[in-house]
Amino acid sequence: MAGKFLVSLTNAKNDPDKATVGFVVANAAVASGQETVIFLNVEGAYLASKGYADDIHEVGFAPLKQLMDQFVEAGGTLWVCSPCYKKRELDEENLVEGATIVGGAKLVEFLSQGAASITY
């Protein structure tokens, strides 16, 4: 039986290693049949802006943009923290494909359904 898995991603260019590993883990989860959500929050909210992740490439890993695209194409869900996105004055018209801005209640609902979670 497939479960639910949440990756809370709080990093972007401030710690590209953690941002990359978060997407690697999420891709593994969605590939194994888990209903998988990445919640981009704090600095991770920047990753929801088109073009921001284009130049992030940690040695030993696929480029972050490629990992992000693979995640969405595989059926993963990409949520963006509404207050985090607004605080950083990011443009809601400039979201990456597959991203949805959500409030905390949506996250709580998913977690209350028994989702395992990890933070990067």
Side-chain angles (χ1 to χ4, degrees), residues 10-46:
T10 63
N11 291 284
K13 289 182 180 176
N14 62 307
D15 193 335
D17 192 36
K18 284 185 178 180
T20 300
V21 171
F23 271 93
V24 169
V25 170
N27 273 310
V30 78
S32 69
Q34 302 294 307
E35 180 182 347
T36 308
V37 172
I38 293 179
F39 182 57
L40 299 173
N41 61 101
V42 191
E43 292 297 300
Y46 284 111

Side-chain angles (χ1 to χ4, degrees), residues 3-97:
K4 295 176 182 275
F5 192 76
L6 175 92
V7 175
S8 177
L9 193 49
T10 63
N11 291 284
K13 289 182 180 176
N14 62 307
D15 193 335
D17 192 36
K18 284 185 178 180
T20 300
V21 171
F23 271 93
V24 169
V25 170
N27 273 310
V30 78
S32 69
Q34 302 294 307
E35 180 182 347
T36 308
V37 172
I38 293 179
F39 182 57
L40 299 173
N41 61 101
V42 191
E43 292 297 300
Y46 284 111
L47 296 173
S49 291
K50 287 180 186 171
Y52 184 86
D54 290 356
D55 63 347
I56 300 175
H57 187 184
E58 283 294 294
V59 175
F61 295 97
L64 184 55
K65 175 70 168 101
Q66 180 182 333
L67 293 169
M68 292 173 68
D69 290 344
Q70 287 174 346
F71 178 73
V72 172
E73 289 168 9
T77 301
L78 196 56
W79 287 343
V80 186
C81 168
S82 178
C84 302
Y85 205 74
K86 289 177 184 174
K87 174 185 176 181
R88 287 159 181 81
E89 299 179 356
L90 300 171
D91 183 1
E92 292 184 26
E93 300 298 316
N94 197 37
L95 284 174
V96 295
E97 185 176 340

